[in-house]
Amino acid sequence: MKKNILKITAMIASVAMFASCTDLDIFPENTSSSEVVFSTFEGTKDALAKVYAAYTLTGNSGPGGKTDLPIPGIDEGSNADFVRTFFNHQEMPTDEAHCLWNDAGVPELNFINFTTDGQFTLGLYYRLIMQIMYANEFIRNADESLNAEVATFKAEARFIRAFDYWAMMDVFGNPPFITESDVLGSLPEQISRADLFQYIESELKELGDNGLLKAPRTNEYGRADQAAAWALLARLYLNAEVYTGTARWADAATYSKKVIDAGYSLKPNYADLFLADNNLNNPEIILPIAYDGKNTRTNGGTTFLINCTFNGDYQNTYADLLIHSGIYDNASWSGYRTREQFTQKFGTDDRRYMLVGENPALGADPSTYTNGLMTYKYRNIQSGSTPGNVINSASGDRAFADTDFPLFRLAEQYLIYAEAAARGGGSTAEAVGYVNQLRSRAGVSNITEGQMTANFILDERARELYWECHRRTDLIRYGLLTGGGYLWEWKGGVQEGRAVDTHYNLYPIPASDVNANTNLTQNPGY
């Protein structure tokens, strides 16, 4: 699968674009009509590959060229990729990550001072819209009479669309909304967060509970199945009170438990989850975004996650721990560090503590690369590598990663169940067992039922899931991203940290779309 579905062999034709983007020339040109692409089963599967590949690639001639998002203000290398832009929005405004660079768009994310024309926000917004459009076009045109498997393809496209709408709802709150049933070229209406929650919930329950997707662990690697739908439902319900005003802890426990009982298990070595061969013998990953150094070249994705933190001198100084980043050309960008308050959540015996550096604090100058710690969580080497025997990635590419990004994995579902239980939605005894499985793998002591509070789970999520694009959402759920209840260095743009206004719990809808579509109302405070 890793060398299969993500190799693009056809471009979706006649892609339906959101009419609020008034200049359709900014979108990629289509070389085939939808009638041609969807006239055969092979062409339909190629079109599904394009829907998936929109998560992995930024254009049609990697690592840069024929971009999917030729929009003013969006640079294909830095802010047109899904994982890179989502990471920047989910991690940079929090205690988990800080960017040392001062490029346009970076300071407002570092210091929680978001703007309506931020380049990274433009990139994430239009990337999600484009992925929704690709899914809509596929659902609209795929012909189930060609082959019975096309019905499964359409269910997968619906799942991808539901995930994209979840991300839009989480980040932007009240986005424009359009499906395959809407008239092409019409201005999309704005949907409220609560209504979008209901739509996503309905889609995922139909896809997962009614068997439209394949059974757990029966689809090709890298493609969605029922467990992916249940995993996203569990994540949706965990944050339901933020999205709708009504908590759904019991539902979060129910759907995380469905995933837990679906036959997955923890990978024995935590570090192996984030290496170049994490597509092999990995019973923990439910759904990845797959990368291949030869066929999916991008300066985003895990190539970014590896390069953005590594720097050359650390490769030598800490060689016994790092072993190697596994990227040799265009390597070691030395741009991102963790913040001290996050670092302090670990004991040094925790195997998940994959951090090195000279000074845990960012200090008075947060642009100095020796301030803050570097994480080597993501690497482009294979498991079994040692400092004296580095096993490079399977593709052998020296500049782009084979490492897959775990979009959903079992450990998250353990922690969703645990938090739901701590808040009254599940069995505390069962939850403690799940948490202690994670802690046993990490080499740290077990906890008791009395220790398993919601606040403990928040810290355990930080230790287990850091740099996997969860932290902003987690802090908002606990009421800690904004306000002054939890301060970290350089929160709000001052070294000691300060309270920030609650309107920053949502990002602004880009001004370019608000100005183009009279149906859209900007989020409060912008």
Side-chain angles (χ1 to χ4, degrees), residues 53-106:
Y55 283 105
T56 309
L57 302 174
T58 57
N60 296 286
S61 181
K66 296 184 179 178
T67 178
D68 282 335
L69 292 175
I71 296 173
I74 297 180
D75 175 79
E76 185 176 358
S78 62
N79 47 44
D81 167 75
F82 170 71
V83 168
R84 185 166 180 171
T85 55
F86 195 51
F87 173 91
N88 283 332
H89 286 77
Q90 291 289 86
E91 302 290 2
M92 277 173 60
T94 78
D95 57 348
E96 284 191 359
H98 173 86
C99 182
L100 306 173
W101 305 327
N102 200 35
D103 302 53
V106 167

Side-chain angles (χ1 to χ4, degrees), residues 405-418:
F405 180 81
L407 201 60
F408 295 97
R409 62 183 179 96
L410 180 62
E412 181 200 0
Q413 300 304 307
Y414 280 174
L415 291 166
I416 288 175
Y417 187 92

Side-chain angles (χ1 to χ4, degrees), residues 150-419:
V150 174
T152 302
F153 293 173
K154 292 178 77 169
E156 291 176 49
R158 286 173 63 186
F159 169 81
I160 290 170
R161 180 176 63 184
F163 176 85
D164 290 328
Y165 271 129
W166 167 78
M168 289 286 275
M169 176 183 66
D170 187 81
V171 174
F172 298 106
N174 312 287
F177 179 76
I178 196 167
T179 71
E180 79 282 3
S181 301
D182 290 290
V183 176
L184 294 178
S186 61
L187 285 171
E189 298 288 337
Q190 190 167 25
I191 189 170
S192 72
R193 211 178 199 188
D195 287 344
L196 185 52
F197 177 97
Q198 291 182 354
Y199 168 81
I200 297 168
E201 177 188 27
S202 175
E203 283 284 281
L204 293 174
K205 291 184 76 170
E206 184 175 353
L207 294 169
D209 294 349
N210 292 349
L212 300 184
L213 290 166
K214 288 189 176 183
R217 304 171 67 241
T218 64
N219 209 346
E220 289 181 291
Y221 176 81
R223 288 173 56 188
D225 58 20
Q226 286 179 298
W230 297 334
L232 182 53
L233 268 168
R235 191 183 292 180
L236 182 77
Y237 289 134
L238 187 69
N239 295 286
E241 192 168 15
V242 173
Y243 301 147
T244 70
T246 301
R248 302 281 292 274
W249 308 119
D251 290 324
T254 295
Y255 277 91
S256 58
K257 191 70 166 62
K258 287 171 78 75
V259 179
I260 291 167
D261 292 341
Y264 298 93
S265 59
L266 295 181
K267 196 166 179 64
N269 185 7
Y270 180 82
D272 290 348
L273 282 164
F274 311 99
L275 298 182
D277 56 351
N278 64 349
N279 62 306
L280 303 175
N281 303 315
N282 194 340
E284 183 169 342
I285 290 183
I286 298 159
L287 181 66
I289 297 178
Y291 294 93
D292 180 286
K294 294 293 187 185
N295 297 310
T296 61
R297 295 183 160 204
T298 171
N299 287 316
T302 51
T303 297
F304 158 75
L305 290 174
I306 294 165
N307 275 336
C308 77
T309 183
F310 272 85
N311 48 282
D313 56 340
Y314 281 18
Q315 296 257 29
N316 296 321
T317 303
Y318 303 103
D320 58 328
L321 291 172
L322 275 56
I323 302 176
H324 198 276
S325 70
I327 293 181
Y328 300 82
D329 301 332
N330 187 33
S332 298
W333 299 348
S334 187
Y336 287 67
R337 296 289 182 265
T338 61
R339 307 194 199 213
E340 185 174 23
Q341 285 73 17
F342 163 70
T343 305
Q344 292 170 343
K345 297 185 185 303
F346 290 87
T348 55
D349 57 343
D350 195 320
R351 295 178 189 135
R352 298 169 297 190
Y353 182 86
M354 303 178 73
L355 304 166
V356 296
E358 301 173 12
N359 182 5
L362 294 174
D365 182 1
S367 63
T368 301
Y369 85 89
T370 53
N371 290 344
L373 299 187
M374 185 203 89
T375 178
Y376 55 99
K377 181 169 179 171
Y378 298 93
R379 289 169 289 171
N380 194 40
I381 58 176
Q382 296 187 51
S383 54
S385 292
T386 64
N389 180 32
V390 177
I391 308 171
N392 293 319
S393 65
S395 74
D397 196 88
R398 294 177 60 88
F400 299 96
D402 283 4
T403 309
D404 295 344
F405 180 81
L407 201 60
F408 295 97
R409 62 183 179 96
L410 180 62
E412 181 200 0
Q413 300 304 307
Y414 280 174
L415 291 166
I416 288 175
Y417 187 92
E419 184 178 336

